[in-house]
Amino acid sequence: MLHALEQRLGLRLSVLRVYCYGLCMGTADALPGVSGGTVALLLGFYGRLIAAVTALTPGRAIDVLRGYDSDRRGRAKEALLEMDLQFLLPLGVGMVTAVALIAGAVTALAESNPIALFGFFIGLIAASAVVLFRSLTFASARHALAAAAGTVLALLVAANVLQLPGSGAVLIFLSGGLAISAMILPGVSGSLILILLGQYVFLSSELTAFLQSLRDLAFGNGSLAGVLDPGTTVVVFVAGGVVGLVTIARVVRFALDRHRELTLLFLVGLIAGSIPAPLHEVAAAHALTGDVLALTAAWAVVGAVALFALDRLAGGFDPE
């Protein structure tokens, strides 16, 4: 009996530890310039994360759904173990918790003090690019071209010269696929992709509205209609993320396996080219006068110092 109690306690502690991992990873991914994938590397579970994500295949999902058949129950249990859901589920819940909390803060600050918020983000992104480029090498012209290609692509997207096809639900779906794919990559933040696409503030506010409407409904102060509008946006984004995890993320992982240095340089180039993207949000709230730009720059310094301090505490980024 004592052994059984110890096993249950060990299982609960393991779930709590993975949930805390998810909190850390979700917090990082909710802030541009800080990568959840890097947090996974630093905390030592990146390999398990990638193995679990790549194990999420339609075939295994079908095996699990067929578990109602007693003849297929053994295979269903095997598929569940292969997908490592006992790890992914508490990790995902932790990530969602952190993202939900930060989304509320972002929504409030975007309305009350956009200069401080997006200036801080500019500093995070710029310092992140410096830290990551410092850890990589430019051994040939191909390396320089890969970094330049990523930078130019991000600058074109930030300037609205290049845009994702479609709008509304299609754009949200594609944003979800790209952002959640980025979440599992070391060095690239999902929120950075959303800022680059101009969807970060909108999706943060929709998530906050969805959670608030659920709370109102639970306490008898809301309505189902109030839940459906922001809830539809959240569901479309999550659906895009699921598709992205089994498609885009696999393509990027394949590129990392075959051409690691070039892929990393391209990804870090994307970060560098995203540095001016938050200025769009500042410009939407204030005219870009000298005083506004100076204050934005001051907050960017704060963000850069925070990122450099975090990098120092973490012991640096290891691209391997």
Side-chain angles (χ1 to χ4, degrees):
M1 181 176 178
L2 180 60
H3 181 65
L5 287 173
E6 289 176 346
Q7 282 187 323
R8 285 199 292 269
L9 179 60
L11 178 61
R12 290 174 182 174
L13 289 175
S14 175
V15 170
L16 179 60
R17 183 176 66 252
V18 176
Y19 174 77
C20 291
Y21 285 165
L23 285 176
C24 295
M25 192 173 174
T27 300
D29 270 315
L31 298 173
V34 186
S35 166
T38 299
V39 169
L41 273 175
L42 295 174
L43 293 179
F45 65 90
Y46 185 71
R48 185 177 182 182
L49 172 65
I50 294 302
V53 168
T54 53
L56 294 174
T57 63
R60 290 191 176 94
I62 291 172
D63 287 336
V64 171
L65 293 175
R66 289 177 174 173
Y68 65 87
D69 186 344
S70 58
D71 293 335
R72 298 175 181 270
R73 202 155 294 160
R75 177 54 197 150
K77 291 179 180 178
E78 289 178 10
L80 284 172
L81 289 175
E82 289 167 355
M83 291 189 292
D84 205 0
L85 293 183
Q86 68 270 26
F87 170 74
L88 284 180
L89 288 178
L91 183 76
V93 172
M95 290 179 66
V96 169
T97 303
V99 169
L101 292 173
I102 291 177
V106 166
T107 300
L109 286 172
E111 294 178 358
S112 63
N113 205 333
I115 295 176
L117 177 67
F118 294 106
F120 185 79
F121 283 174
I122 289 172
L124 283 181
I125 297 168
S128 178
V130 171
V131 167
L132 293 170
F133 269 130
R134 195 171 58 198
S135 67
L136 300 171
T137 57
F138 291 83
S140 68
R142 293 174 66 208
H143 290 113
L145 285 174
T151 302
V152 170
L153 176 61
L155 287 172
L156 292 174
V157 173
N160 289 324
V161 175
L162 292 178
Q163 296 179 334
L164 287 180
S167 59
V170 174
L171 180 58
I172 293 168
F173 182 86
L174 293 175
S175 297
L178 292 171
I180 296 188
S181 298
M183 281 185 176
I184 65 170
L185 299 174
V188 184
S189 168
S191 56
L192 174 68
I193 299 298
L194 294 180
I195 282 185
L196 188 60
L197 298 176
Q199 298 296 304
Y200 183 68
V201 173
F202 168 70
L203 289 170
S204 295
S205 64
E206 287 290 282
L207 177 59
T208 302
F210 175 61
L211 295 175
Q212 183 61 54
S213 62
L214 285 178
R215 284 193 292 268
D216 291 343
L217 186 63
F219 288 104
N221 300 321
S223 64
L224 187 59
V227 175
L228 288 177
D229 188 25
T232 301
T233 300
V234 173
V235 169
V236 170
F237 179 83
V238 171
V242 171
V243 173
L245 279 178
V246 299
T247 55
I248 301 170
R250 292 174 185 275
V251 172
V252 178
R253 288 305 309 171
F254 175 79
L256 281 169
D257 291 339
R258 296 291 296 271
H259 304 285
R260 185 171 186 81
E261 294 82 6
L262 292 175
T263 304
L264 283 171
L265 284 165
F266 176 81
L267 292 173
V268 179
L270 281 178
I271 296 174
S274 302
I275 294 171
L279 276 176
H280 291 294
E281 302 294 344
V282 177
H286 300 279
L288 296 181
T289 63
D291 290 342
V292 168
L293 289 174
L295 189 56
T296 302
W299 278 105
V301 171
V302 175
V305 169
L307 194 286
F308 285 134
L310 178 63
D311 177 66
R312 183 70 176 269
L313 289 172
F317 171 73
D318 180 7
E320 298 300 323

